[in-house]
Amino acid sequence: VPDSRSGVSPFKGLPAFEEADAARFFGRKALTARLLDHLHESRFLAVVGASGSGKSSVVRAGLIPAVRAQRNRPVHLITPTAQPLEALATTLTRHSESVTATATLIDDLRQDARSLHLYARKLLGDQPALLLVVDQFEELFTLCRDESEREAFVANLVTAVAPGTGGPIRAVITLRADFYNHCLAYPRLHALLEAQQRIVGPMSAEELRQAIELPAQRQGLAFEPGLVELLLREVGAAGGRLPEPGALPLLSHALLETWRRREGDKLTLAGYTAAGGVRGAIAQTADATYTSLPPDRQVIARNIFLRLTELGEGTQDTRRRAPLDELIPQGEGAGTSAAVLRLLADARLVTTDEDAAEVAHEALIREWPALRRWLDEDREALRLHRQLTEDAAAWEASGRDDSYLYRGARLEAAGEWAEAEVAPLK
Ligand SMILES: Nc1ncnc2c1ncn2[C@@H]1O[C@H](COP(=O)(O)OP(=O)(O)O)[C@@H](O)[C@H]1O
Ligand SMILES: [Mg+2]
């Protein structure tokens, strides 16, 4: 049993590093410098790498603070979500007094690909430039279902950074390498990617050592002799080899769990082993959290994790941000669902904000056998159910227009599971 959940951890665990974590972010000096150099020369940068390679972290906790330190320019950071134009318009109008500004900008972006460029110019006045970061660019393909919205988003982006435009926007996107080919369907994006990308590869063994040791050192914590070498070996980075792909989130989580089992100011081999090691810590945390729940709450937890997974179509499964009102249906069970979600967030398996939640990292989807089993058992039913959820949202958005909808979608809108209810009404 971990001795403490309290105190500020030197390690981040599953979530990506944020700008506020810059002081405990180590091991990416060289990469950050390369990204910064690229942005001096160019107004577009694609940061490409595998899931879990550290793209979000190096951009948020490395590049953004470095840009701010060099020149004080406004930064707008978004993830596309299912409504990329809304995400974009919301951040750009964040200081606007007018309540209709966001809606107007969404309409403009949809209608004219120059809108992003023009709006940024107006917004900045005589300030020279603005940094727009689109993290998890692949959500344009996994979460956004509306091809015309996706096209409008891409068109605005490529127009804003086109060499001829001379505009104030510098844009950085992070992109999962396995979604690269999705981008190639958009010729101007294709051209940008071809010329303006940097790859996030594995850290060197030396960089990994820094990422392990320096955050602890900063807080006056010491590793028991041999533990750092063991960690490096377990991520495959011993003897001059590079770590295995996908090792970073496992390492990050294992370090956090080892810290929670620390003895005084010592991070111990015993603590590391009890946490399950690099390979097992995620599954162990997830299993322990899940099995600590009574059966009725286990059902809720399982449904939450399934709703937070986007089923891959010929690609790996990815995370899915779900609105809180989907995870916590109105009515009788609302309090219980909210409590389960809070527990998952406390265990740092899930991150939540005011209106949505997501798994703390895709590594959880890959590395937790129980979740994999649930996903594989029922892929078709889940796909069907996801379709119902979307139909239900569309039905609500249409003002409950009865003409086109499946009965199942209405049950879903009412907060009930509805796999069996698939007969069209008309
Ligand atoms: N420099 C670093 N030091 C330690 N852990 C890191 C570092 N960069 C990333 N991580 C951890 O690795 C995992 C993956 O990082 P993330 O930025 O989310 O990758 P991606 O965006 O490529 O999926 C997270 O758990 C994060 O905390
Ligand atoms: Mg990321």
Side-chain angles (χ1 to χ4, degrees), residues 176 282-283 286-287 302 305-306 309-312 315-319 361-379 382-383:
R176 262 179 64 161
I282 288 181
D287 278 336
R302 174 178 163 152
F305 281 115
L306 291 175
T309 307
E310 184 67 34
L311 302 172
T315 48
Q316 284 174 355
D317 296 335
T318 53
R319 69 181 114 196
H361 200 277
E362 274 153 356
L364 181 71
I365 299 173
R366 280 197 301 275
E367 303 288 339
W368 184 20
L371 178 54
R372 288 247 52 87
R373 204 166 50 241
W374 301 334
L375 285 165
D376 291 340
E377 262 165 24
D378 249 352
R379 222 153 247 276
L382 284 168
R383 259 187 237 285

Side-chain angles (χ1 to χ4, degrees), residues 56 135-136 319:
S56 300
D135 193 16
Q136 281 155 222
R319 69 181 114 196

Side-chain angles (χ1 to χ4, degrees), residues 285-305 335-347 349-350 368 374:
T285 304
D287 278 336
T289 308
Y290 178 75
T291 52
S292 73
L293 295 167
D296 60 320
R297 296 191 178 210
Q298 287 187 356
V299 174
I300 294 170
R302 174 178 163 152
N303 286 343
I304 289 174
F305 281 115
T336 316
S337 297
V340 172
L341 188 63
R342 207 156 40 240
L343 187 98
L344 301 178
D346 286 345
L349 297 169
V350 167
W368 184 20
W374 301 334

Side-chain angles (χ1 to χ4, degrees), residues 135-150:
D135 193 16
Q136 281 155 222
F137 196 75
E138 66 274 5
E139 286 180 4
L140 274 186
F141 308 104
T142 59
L143 301 185
C144 174
R145 302 274 186 241
D146 179 346
E147 177 56 34
S148 65
E149 174 151 6
R150 177 160 49 229

Side-chain angles (χ1 to χ4, degrees), residues 41-309:
E41 306 294 316
S42 168
R43 296 180 29 235
F44 179 84
L45 166 63
V47 178
V48 182
S51 171
S53 58
K55 304 177 296 294
S56 300
S57 297
V58 73
V59 167
R60 289 169 182 241
L63 182 64
I64 290 177
V67 168
R68 282 200 207 270
Q70 286 199 342
R71 36 194 111 188
N72 185 19
R73 60 177 46 152
V75 176
H76 292 266
L77 180 134
I78 62 165
T79 56
T81 74
Q83 274 97 34
L85 294 181
E86 183 179 323
L88 187 56
T90 302
T91 180
L92 290 171
T93 58
R94 67 190 172 196
H95 296 305
S96 170
E97 310 260 299
S98 149
V99 286
T100 54
T102 313
T104 308
L105 181 54
I106 293 173
D107 290 342
D108 291 347
L109 291 165
R110 209 184 275 284
Q111 272 153 33
D112 191 324
R114 291 168 301 182
S115 301
L116 172 58
H117 163 71
L118 293 172
Y119 191 86
R121 176 158 278 175
K122 210 169 78 180
L123 190 65
L124 283 171
D126 44 11
Q127 276 175 287
L130 158 168
L131 181 66
L132 171 66
V133 178
V134 185
D135 193 16
Q136 281 155 222
F137 196 75
E138 66 274 5
E139 286 180 4
L140 274 186
F141 308 104
T142 59
L143 301 185
C144 174
R145 302 274 186 241
D146 179 346
E147 177 56 34
S148 65
E149 174 151 6
R150 177 160 49 229
E151 255 169 37
F153 185 92
V154 170
N156 274 277
L157 185 68
V158 297
T159 303
V161 300
T165 320
I169 289 188
R170 300 263 182 293
V172 175
I173 70 169
T174 72
L175 174 68
R176 262 179 64 161
D178 47 336
F179 284 88
Y180 201 86
N181 58 340
H182 287 72
C183 298
L184 306 186
Y186 304 83
R188 292 164 74 201
L189 180 60
H190 177 165
L192 276 176
L193 278 178
E194 184 163 25
Q196 322 266 22
Q197 61 177 291
R198 289 290 176 269
I199 308 290
V200 180
M203 289 190 203
S204 70
E206 189 43 45
E207 288 173 329
L208 268 180
R209 182 185 288 278
Q210 292 172 0
I212 294 169
E213 285 180 337
L214 297 184
Q217 220 176 68
R218 210 180 130 246
Q219 296 195 9
L221 297 162
F223 284 87
E224 190 175 329
L227 180 50
V228 175
E229 286 66 30
L230 178 61
L231 283 160
L232 289 172
R233 232 176 10 253
E234 297 222 327
V235 297
R241 272 172 299 131
L242 290 174
E244 289 162 27
L248 207 48
L250 309 188
L251 173 68
S252 191
H253 182 73
L255 282 166
L256 173 63
E257 291 297 311
T258 304
W259 173 80
R260 286 175 52 204
R261 293 163 173 82
R262 69 195 177 279
E263 285 162 28
D265 52 14
K266 250 205 166 49
L267 301 162
T268 65
L269 284 157
Y272 171 74
T273 309
V278 166
R279 284 282 142 220
I282 288 181
Q284 186 172 316
T285 304
D287 278 336
T289 308
Y290 178 75
T291 52
S292 73
L293 295 167
D296 60 320
R297 296 191 178 210
Q298 287 187 356
V299 174
I300 294 170
R302 174 178 163 152
N303 286 343
I304 289 174
F305 281 115
L306 291 175
R307 284 176 182 271
L308 295 180
T309 307

